[in-house]
């Protein structure tokens, strides 16, 4: 089994936490979207959406995080030989967490200069790949058009407001639930938690804890609790604790700066 992912990809974090929680072995492949590696021809042929993560088990390829996590859950059941009762609460929370799209929230809270730099670089990559693989040109063009549309959306304050309101509503619902149970769907950590915890990590990465986490005592208590889990340490803590959160970003920024320098000279 192979997982194509990146430490900064929120959906990748969800899937990696689920894999670690189930103790399933897999081969890890880093694909950095900030440097356009997800647009490379071989990867794009396998996954025309170019989104991360991608989970492959033989000929079976899955793209959406929630679908991958549900597949992992079924696979773990098959490997254990046990048939646990269907937990509709877990499924409902997974759907609720999945309904919030972190893309616009992340972009609107990223410094404009850095965001514009990466966006311009990605558009150049897409144009280059269209020339490199003419048979995929139409699909690359779809991604290019989407990139321009995203640039327009991120400037719209109404879209930013809507994303923030949706996140606040989700966090309020979680705060209420955690006043009744230890984890999202009960007293045991579940796939719903694997999907939710990376959202908290994203808020932390953007330095917005005070606005969204610290003001919700039950979520803050829960967040401190899950940080001790081995799955969190492998999927998130390894890359984001202290100075480590700047290491991957520095490596990416260095790569982009070198590429730009060589283009100029």
């Amino acid at each position: 089994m192979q997982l194509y992912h990146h430490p900064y990809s929120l959906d990748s974090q969800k899937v990696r936490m689920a894999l670690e929680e189930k103790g399933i072995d897999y081969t890890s492949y880093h694909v950095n979207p900030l440097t356009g590696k997800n647009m490379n021809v071989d990867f794009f042929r396998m996954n025309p959406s170019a989104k991360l993560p991608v989970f492959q088990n033989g000929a079976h390829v899955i793209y959406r995080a929630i679908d991958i996590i549900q597949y992992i859950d079924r696979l773990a059941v098959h490997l254990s030989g046990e048939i646990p009762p269907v937990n509709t609460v877990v499924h409902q929370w997974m759907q609720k967490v999945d309904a919030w799209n972190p893309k616009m929230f992340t972009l609107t809270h990223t410094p404009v200069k850095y965001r514009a730099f990466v966006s311009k670089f990605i558009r150049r990559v897409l144009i280059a790949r269209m020339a490199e693989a003419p048979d995929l040109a139409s699909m690359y063009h779809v991604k290019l058009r989407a990139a321009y549309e995203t640039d327009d959306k991120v400037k719209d304050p109404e879209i930013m407001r809507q994303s923030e309101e949706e996140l606040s509503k989700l966090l309020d619902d979680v705060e209420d639930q955690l006043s009744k149970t230890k984890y999202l769907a009960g007293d045991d950590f579940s796939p719903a938690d694997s999907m939710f915890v990376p959202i908290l990590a994203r808020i932390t990465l953007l330095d917005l804890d005070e606005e969204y986490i610290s003001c919700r005592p039950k979520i803050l208590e829960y967040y401190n609790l899950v940080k001790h889990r081995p799955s969190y340490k492998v999927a998130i803590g390894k890359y984001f604790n202290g100075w480590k959160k700047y290491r991957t970003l520095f490596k990416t920024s260095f790569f982009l700066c070198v590429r730009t320098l060589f283009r100029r000279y």
Side-chain angles (χ1 to χ4, degrees), residues 43-234:
F43 186 81
F44 199 73
R45 287 190 191 280
M46 176 178 67
N47 174 26
S49 75
K51 294 180 180 179
L52 296 175
V54 175
F55 184 79
Q56 185 172 13
N57 186 11
H60 199 44
V61 182
I62 316 173
Y63 310 109
R64 293 180 65 231
I66 188 170
D67 294 336
I68 297 172
I69 292 172
Q70 289 174 334
Y71 178 83
I72 291 168
D73 212 34
R74 293 193 298 270
L75 182 62
V77 169
H78 175 74
L79 293 174
S80 68
E82 299 177 359
I83 304 177
V86 176
N87 192 327
T88 56
V89 177
V90 172
H91 180 73
Q92 288 169 356
W93 271 110
M94 289 177 71
Q95 293 288 344
K96 180 176 288 191
V97 173
D98 187 60
W100 182 68
N101 187 340
K103 182 176 181 178
M104 298 311 299
F105 180 82
T106 300
L107 289 175
T108 54
H109 288 91
T110 300
V112 175
K113 183 178 180 180
Y114 180 72
R115 186 177 72 218
F117 184 75
V118 173
S119 177
K120 185 176 181 180
F121 176 80
I122 295 300
R123 294 198 301 270
R124 285 177 175 173
V125 170
L126 284 165
I127 292 169
R129 296 294 176 267
M130 290 169 68
E132 181 182 344
D135 59 314
L136 297 175
S138 61
M139 288 187 287
Y140 276 122
H141 188 266
V142 170
K143 295 297 295 182
L144 182 61
R145 186 170 64 246
Y148 279 109
E149 290 173 353
T150 297
D151 286 346
D152 290 336
K153 287 180 180 178
V154 80
K155 299 171 186 174
D156 186 345
E158 177 60 24
I159 290 179
M160 177 179 176
R161 184 194 62 78
Q162 182 178 348
S163 178
E164 290 176 339
E165 285 185 354
E166 290 172 355
L167 173 60
S168 293
K169 176 63 167 62
L170 172 62
L171 294 176
D172 287 344
D173 289 345
V174 171
E175 179 75 6
D176 180 64
Q177 178 63 30
L178 293 177
S179 68
K180 306 168 188 173
T181 56
K182 184 177 181 180
Y183 295 104
L184 273 186
D187 291 330
D188 296 318
F189 192 94
S190 74
D193 298 288
S194 293
M195 291 192 64
F196 177 67
V197 171
I199 291 178
L200 301 180
R202 176 57 51 90
I203 292 170
T204 297
L205 180 64
L206 297 171
D207 292 325
L208 295 170
D209 290 59
E210 290 296 325
E211 185 175 349
Y212 290 98
I213 298 176
S214 299
C215 58
R216 295 176 171 90
K218 290 298 181 181
I219 288 182
L220 180 60
E221 180 183 353
Y222 165 89
Y223 193 23
N224 289 330
L225 175 67
V226 298
K227 285 179 181 178
H228 294 288
R229 299 187 73 85
S231 62
Y232 176 91
K233 294 176 182 178
V234 170

Side-chain angles (χ1 to χ4, degrees), residues 4-9 12-13 29-34 52 248 252:
Y4 300 85
H5 66 99
H6 189 265
Y8 271 28
S9 161
S12 293
Q13 293 168 359
Y29 294 100
H30 278 203
V31 180
N32 194 337
L34 297 179
L52 296 175
T248 302
T252 298

